[in-house]
Amino acid sequence: MSEAGRFDTTNILVVGTGGQGVMTATEILAEAAIALGHDAKKTEVAGMAQRGGVVSSHLRFGAKVLSPQITPGSADVLLGFEAAEAMRWRHMLRAGGLVLMNTGRLVPPVVELGLYDYPDDPVGQMRAAGTRVFSFDASAIAQELGDIRLGNTVMLGAIADHLPFPAEVLERCILKRFARKKAEVIELNRQAFAAGRAAAEQAARTAAEAG
C-alpha cells in the first residue's frame, strides 16, 4: 500500500500510445477502487485517432471526487506505458510522487512528426531532475510470456503495490475480464500480473541502491 493512502483522493495518470491498453488499464483501476466503495472519476484524451497516437488517462478516486481532471503537480503516481510519454508528463507529479515506467521503446507519432525529440535517456533525465522513477521493460516481460498484449497486465501488476488498497483486489478485477476465456488465458494474465509486481519491486530495490 502506497503513501497515496495518506490523502483523501488518489490521483493516477496513465500515459502511453494507442494500442497499449492505457484506457483499459484505467478502467480496471477504477473498477477496483469502486469495488472497495470509493467514488471514482476518470477521463481520457487520445492525441491522435489512429493506433499509435499518444494517449493519456486521468483517474481520481476517494471518498468523494468532484472532477476527473488531475491538475499539474498533483498526481500521486504516473504510470508510463511508454518512456518518452512518461517523461513528457512528469510535470503532473506531486512532490514525492512516483513514476512507474516501461522502458520498452515505442516511438510516438509526435516524435516522427518532429514535434518532440525522443529523449536519449528518459529514466536518467527524470532522476536527474529529482523524480522518483521505478523502471522496467514491461514489453520484454510480455513477450517472454508469449503475447505483447500482456504488457497491459504487467503494468497493472507494477502499480498494484503502490495503491491504497490490496493488490489482490486489482488482480481479481483483471482476471474477471477473462472469466469466459480459456484457462490458459487467465493463467497467462495471472503470471503477467505477478511478473509486473516483481519487476516493480526489483526496480524499487535498484533505485534505492543507486541512492
Side-chain angles (χ1 to χ4, degrees):
M1 188 176 296
S2 81
E3 66 277 11
R6 294 185 287 113
F7 298 87
D8 291 336
T9 301
T10 298
N11 300 321
I12 299 173
L13 179 62
V14 187
V15 302
T17 61
Q20 288 189 295
V22 168
M23 294 183 183
T24 299
T26 308
E27 288 175 5
I28 294 172
L29 286 166
E31 288 171 5
I34 291 169
L36 290 174
H38 291 284
D39 183 21
K41 298 285 191 303
K42 64 183 180 67
T43 184
E44 295 94 14
V45 177
M48 293 183 178
Q50 74 269 29
R51 184 179 179 86
V54 295
V55 181
S56 63
S57 189
H58 297 225
L59 171 64
R60 305 183 71 233
F61 61 86
K64 182 64 177 177
V65 178
L66 299 178
S67 170
Q69 196 73 28
I70 297 173
T71 57
S74 66
D76 297 299
V77 182
L78 172 57
L79 188 62
F81 279 54
E82 203 286 320
E85 282 303 291
M87 183 173 173
R88 196 161 71 91
W89 286 93
R90 69 189 184 279
H91 66 283
M92 297 294 288
L93 274 180
R94 64 170 175 81
L98 173 65
V99 179
L100 292 161
M101 180 195 292
N102 173 24
T103 57
R105 181 164 173 160
L106 180 61
V107 179
V110 289
V111 173
E112 296 175 351
L113 292 172
L115 301 176
Y116 182 72
D117 293 328
Y118 201 96
D120 294 328
D121 181 11
V123 175
Q125 288 176 251
M126 292 181 77
R127 285 180 177 158
T131 305
R132 189 162 59 117
V133 181
F134 296 167
S135 60
F136 46 89
D137 195 337
S139 300
I141 293 170
Q143 288 176 327
E144 287 171 7
L145 289 170
D147 192 338
I148 189 64
R149 292 175 297 180
L150 290 168
N152 180 299
T153 303
V154 173
M155 292 301 290
L156 286 171
I159 198 175
D161 291 312
H162 301 279
L163 296 168
F165 50 76
E168 291 73 21
V169 175
L170 181 58
E171 183 180 30
R172 283 198 298 270
C173 287
I174 295 169
L175 299 182
K176 183 179 177 181
R177 292 205 162 210
F178 301 99
R180 296 185 179 181
K181 299 289 185 179
K182 294 180 179 179
E184 53 262 38
V185 173
I186 296 173
E187 179 57 28
L188 276 175
N189 277 275
R190 184 178 285 110
Q191 291 177 23
F193 185 82
R197 289 183 73 182
E201 183 179 352
Q202 178 58 51
R205 286 198 295 268
T206 301
E209 291 167 2

